[in-house]
Amino acid sequence: MDPATVPDFDSLPKVRDMPQGCAWGVFDQDGKKDLLGTLNLLTPSVVKAALGEARDGVSISLNWPLNAMSIPLPGRIPPAHKQVTLREAGISEGIGWDDELHFNTQLSSQWDSLVHWQHQPSGLAYNGITVTREALSAESTAVNTMPTLDHWHSAGGLVARGVLLDWKEFAEKRARAEGKSGEESVCHPLDGHRITVQELQAVAKDQDVDLRNGDVLIVRTGLTEVLEAPSPEDFTKLQNGKISGVHGVLESAKWLWNKHFAAVAGDSWAFEALMPLKEDGSVGSPADLVLHPWLLSMFGMPIGELWDLKALAKHCKASGRYSFLLTSSPLHIPGLIGSPPNALAIF
């Protein structure tokens, strides 16, 4: 679907019993319920233009190690990696190895699929779909009616123009320009800064990078760099439950839709700042997430979290280029709710 023809937030057709801005039905074709969401914006012309970003022969992985999270998270198991000889497995008398992995897809770099978080009042996922364990257990993608990540493969995976907005670098440069030094000049991702639309626009202007329809927006806060080797001071900050990220308010959701991004990602825990704020301005709980229901459930816009952006940020700063070709191919299994992104930035 040509991004230029997609209605802006306030012009989206009204969806019964849903708030204005719900995009259900926008990408449906021939009476068939869409399962890809904003990946539909990656048309051949958009992808062809993105290929022009790859001209220097430099490739950077954006994938944090599966075992990089040094902090135990209740309900999310650490990865278990088992090595097995071919003889032990009874496969061959020859000398060789297999391995087995058991891991939670939310514990390291990941994509959230469009069923990961529902619109809470209705309990519905993207495009008004009711998610059930039975439906998620489909035997093949061909019969899978859930908007999960395996459908990306029928679309050729994700190939797009990626744009890094390095909030951490921008904020620290601004602090130094204001005469701050030492700890006062450090933008710590555990201080819980809520990055506003105006600040994102200021970062883009400072980096001299434009934002285009079909881009994948990537925001750096520096969180994964802290979490892989937290200091005692970092552990103390963690107890406060504050994580920097994009400000979870309706203004942010509107802006993200109106820019017609194909997806968003970052190195933060939830892309949006934690803990979320309620409508009355008080601090809420994870159940009060704002951007998750808007992006995943109502827009169909995938969210990438805990991406490893340190090397990317270093290269962008050195080269002065903050846009690149981005490729991503999630795991391929029916009903996939989350997945390592297997993402590469190519210059």
Side-chain angles (χ1 to χ4, degrees):
M1 185 174 191
D2 184 353
T5 67
V6 177
D8 281 348
F9 185 96
D10 292 333
S11 300
L12 282 164
K14 178 64 178 174
V15 177
R16 184 178 177 181
D17 297 328
M18 296 297 290
Q20 177 58 39
C22 182
W24 296 352
V26 168
F27 298 113
D28 291 355
Q29 290 187 7
D30 302 323
K32 186 176 181 181
K33 197 175 280 286
D34 173 64
L35 302 176
L36 288 174
T38 51
L39 256 65
N40 284 286
L41 300 176
L42 295 175
T43 62
S45 61
V46 170
V47 172
K48 184 177 180 180
L51 296 177
E53 299 287 340
R55 52 184 186 266
D56 296 337
V58 176
S59 178
I60 299 172
S61 172
L62 308 182
N63 308 286
W64 211 29
L66 286 176
N67 65 343
M69 180 69 74
S70 60
I71 303 165
L73 295 180
R76 288 178 172 166
I77 62 169
H81 185 196
K82 180 181 178 181
Q83 299 81 22
V84 183
T85 70
L86 299 183
R87 291 176 180 176
E88 290 170 337
I91 294 173
S92 171
E93 288 303 312
I95 300 172
W97 294 83
D98 276 0
D99 54 1
E100 301 170 359
L101 280 172
H102 185 199
F103 65 99
N104 185 293
T105 56
Q106 294 284 320
L107 201 63
S108 184
S109 299
Q110 80 216 231
W111 280 118
D112 286 348
S113 79
L114 308 184
V115 305
H116 175 62
W117 187 264
Q118 273 76 81
H119 173 253
Q120 298 301 297
S122 68
L124 298 174
Y126 170 63
N127 234 354
I129 292 172
T130 299
V131 182
T132 66
R133 191 185 304 271
E134 180 182 10
L136 289 170
S137 302
E139 293 185 358
S140 71
T141 299
V143 298
N144 175 19
T145 58
M146 299 290 99
T148 47
L149 294 168
D150 46 304
H151 291 291
W152 287 26
H153 289 273
S154 63
L158 183 148
V159 179
R161 178 178 182 260
V163 173
L164 175 69
L165 294 187
D166 193 342
W167 162 254
K168 179 176 173 63
E169 173 67 23
F170 172 82
E172 292 180 350
K173 183 171 70 171
R174 184 174 63 180
R176 292 190 296 270
E178 294 171 350
K180 297 177 182 177
S181 60
E183 287 298 314
E184 286 190 343
S185 66
V186 175
C187 180
H188 200 291
L190 297 179
D191 286 340
H193 182 79
R194 303 180 190 278
I195 308 170
T196 66
V197 167
Q198 293 72 28
E199 288 172 326
L200 291 173
Q201 292 173 322
V203 176
K205 182 178 180 180
D206 183 71
Q207 294 176 177
D208 192 27
V209 64
D210 61 328
L211 302 174
R212 304 174 186 172
N213 292 343
D215 281 353
V216 175
L217 175 70
I218 303 175
V219 180
R220 176 177 176 251
T221 66
L223 182 64
T224 53
E225 298 157 43
V226 169
L227 292 180
E228 63 188 6
S231 68
E233 294 76 18
D234 295 331
F235 276 112
T236 299
K237 284 179 177 287
L238 271 170
Q239 306 309 308
N240 298 325
K242 295 180 179 180
I243 310 290
S244 296
V246 175
H247 195 10
V249 290
L250 182 59
E251 179 188 11
S252 300
K254 282 187 175 184
W255 183 78
L256 292 169
W257 174 264
N258 287 341
K259 298 302 288 185
H260 300 322
F261 294 128
V264 297
D267 59 356
S268 192
W269 226 312
F271 183 73
E272 60 186 296
L274 297 176
M275 289 294 167
L277 296 180
K278 298 181 180 181
E279 288 188 8
D280 63 6
S282 62
V283 178
S285 71
D288 299 302
L289 289 168
V290 175
L291 295 185
H292 270 61
W294 273 111
L295 273 58
L296 297 177
S297 303
M298 290 188 276
F299 295 167
M301 185 180 292
I303 300 175
E305 298 160 345
L306 294 174
W307 286 24
D308 186 358
L309 303 180
K310 184 177 181 180
L312 176 65
K314 182 178 179 180
H315 181 81
C316 288
K317 183 178 180 180
S319 65
R321 287 185 58 197
Y322 288 84
S323 62
F324 40 87
L325 176 66
L326 177 72
T327 66
S328 175
S329 180
L331 300 177
H332 197 176
I333 189 169
L336 189 62
I337 298 167
S339 174
N342 300 313
L344 297 176
I346 306 167
F347 292 83

